[in-house]
Amino acid sequence: MADESAAATAAKATKNGGEEESRKIMIAVDGSDFADYAVQWTVENLFKERDELILAHVAVPPMVPDFGFSTAYVTESLWVDVMQKANDQTRRTIERYHALARQFLKEHRKSSVRVISESGDPKEVLERLSRNAGANMMVVGSRGFSSVKYVFVGSTSQYLVNHLDIPVIVVHKARNAK
């Protein structure tokens, strides 16, 4: 068993009376190509009929711009505009994942798909959502941050690998993958 890949190990389902138990597979989604590839990879490599896919989206709240002054001032109208654009982007992203879920369910009637969206720090929200949903595994796409950005921003996938007690599969999109 030590020779098995993480995906093969995570893909095994226990038997209960001869029938495979359903699994809850949470996929972190943010509208990026990396997240879309993680969904595609999960469906092609992990998914089994009767599984539940949970598409978890975390909207990162906009921050007040810091122009290097100790007291940055942003007008109310500017802030309302920034918030409206962020909310519109989140709404479009969620609508797209709901459409994807509906299409998926047409082809996989014995399965279920949920789309969850919350606001906050993706690391902490995804950790909490996976625990609350009873996820059996988490799949995240890798953005491939440079080492400099990784030091300052950190990696959501690395955080989840270190803090979740379920398998976390980090999917790297191959350069030639579509």
Side-chain angles (χ1 to χ4, degrees), residues 39-100:
V39 172
Q40 176 188 342
W41 186 91
T42 301
V43 170
E44 292 173 358
N45 295 285
L46 284 179
F47 173 78
K48 295 180 180 181
E49 287 295 330
R50 291 187 169 74
D51 282 347
E52 177 180 4
L53 297 181
I54 305 167
L55 306 180
H57 175 265
V58 181
V60 179
M63 296 179 59
V64 175
D66 180 3
F67 302 109
F69 304 110
S70 60
T71 56
Y73 178 74
V74 176
T75 64
E76 182 178 351
S77 63
L78 176 61
W79 186 245
V80 168
D81 186 49
V82 167
M83 289 299 295
Q84 184 62 46
K85 286 179 181 175
N87 289 337
D88 289 347
Q89 178 62 39
T90 296
R91 181 185 43 76
R92 284 191 303 273
T93 300
I94 295 306
E95 287 172 356
R96 188 165 70 82
Y97 285 116
H98 276 290
L100 178 73

Side-chain angles (χ1 to χ4, degrees), residues 123 145-159:
K123 296 172 187 174
F145 283 155
S146 69
S147 57
V148 173
K149 189 166 187 178
Y150 176 82
V151 168
F152 290 105
V153 177
S155 164
T156 298
S157 55
Q158 187 64 48
Y159 178 90

